[in-house]
Amino acid sequence: MTEKSNSPYLKAQRLEDVIAAIQVMGKYGYYKLSPEKWADRISGDINQSEHWKLVFSEHPEFFRYDSAREKVSLAWRRNYRKRYNVDSQAEISFEEFKSLDDEQKARVSRLPLTGDEVAILVNTAINLHARAIEHNKEYRWMSSPLFSLLGVALGAFLVWLGK
């Protein structure tokens, strides 16, 4: 028998939240921020940080916390080198990066995702959402006949006991 899905994609407005987070986190100059700062960037409300913490933690297929569990980033973006100058909005060379002082290095992030990369992540989220819905449909389809059969068997057993 198929088990009912506990997918976080089945939560109300979850797909919309995941898509919004992917878009903002994929394109924003800095690749890693605290959940409070992401809440402000994504929804315009820093008070929604607990909601976004839950979204980030329930979707490790897209989002990762740093080792201190204080900042969050897109998993895909973490794989790029820190070579994006947020002030000039341009990629810098390794030599340019090495020549920067600590204050200037703090203004260097990982490259933003391209539009195609963001689209791939959004499509992945949509596909995962669709799979979760299909998985739930399978469960509902299996449960009705199963409960009907159990009811018939119980009724037959009770009739047999009554004889």
Side-chain angles (χ1 to χ4, degrees), residues 22-148:
I22 288 169
Q23 291 172 338
V24 172
M25 295 171 81
K27 291 305 228 174
Y28 186 62
Y30 289 100
Y31 81 101
K32 177 172 67 171
L33 295 174
S34 69
E36 294 79 18
K37 288 185 179 176
W38 282 128
D40 188 37
R41 285 263 160 225
I42 298 166
S43 61
D45 185 359
I46 197 167
N47 296 320
Q48 298 237 346
S49 64
E50 290 302 317
H51 168 76
W52 289 105
K53 283 180 188 178
L54 184 64
V55 171
F56 299 147
S57 65
E58 288 184 342
H59 294 278
E61 67 273 20
F62 297 113
F63 312 109
R64 295 284 195 278
Y65 277 89
D66 63 0
S67 57
R69 305 236 3 118
E70 293 175 359
K71 293 184 178 183
V72 184
S73 62
L74 270 175
W76 192 332
R77 231 177 132 180
R78 285 176 57 167
N79 290 303
Y80 287 138
R81 296 178 193 267
K82 287 187 178 181
R83 299 289 181 269
Y84 180 74
N85 185 311
V86 296
D87 296 323
S88 65
Q89 296 183 353
E91 188 172 0
I92 60 174
S93 69
F94 181 68
E95 290 75 27
E96 289 172 308
F97 180 77
K98 282 188 350 183
S99 70
L100 299 175
D101 62 35
D102 289 342
E103 187 177 313
Q104 291 170 318
K105 283 182 180 177
R107 307 285 302 157
V108 174
S109 184
R110 298 179 193 274
L111 281 172
L113 300 181
T114 65
D116 289 340
E117 291 167 334
V118 170
I120 288 169
L121 291 176
V122 167
N123 285 331
T124 301
I126 291 168
N127 290 336
L128 290 170
H129 176 74
R131 279 194 216 158
I133 290 171
E134 283 302 312
H135 187 78
N136 245 20
K137 284 180 184 175
E138 288 175 22
Y139 170 77
R140 281 187 262 145
W141 178 85
M142 293 290 286
S143 63
S144 252
L146 181 64
F147 288 129
S148 297

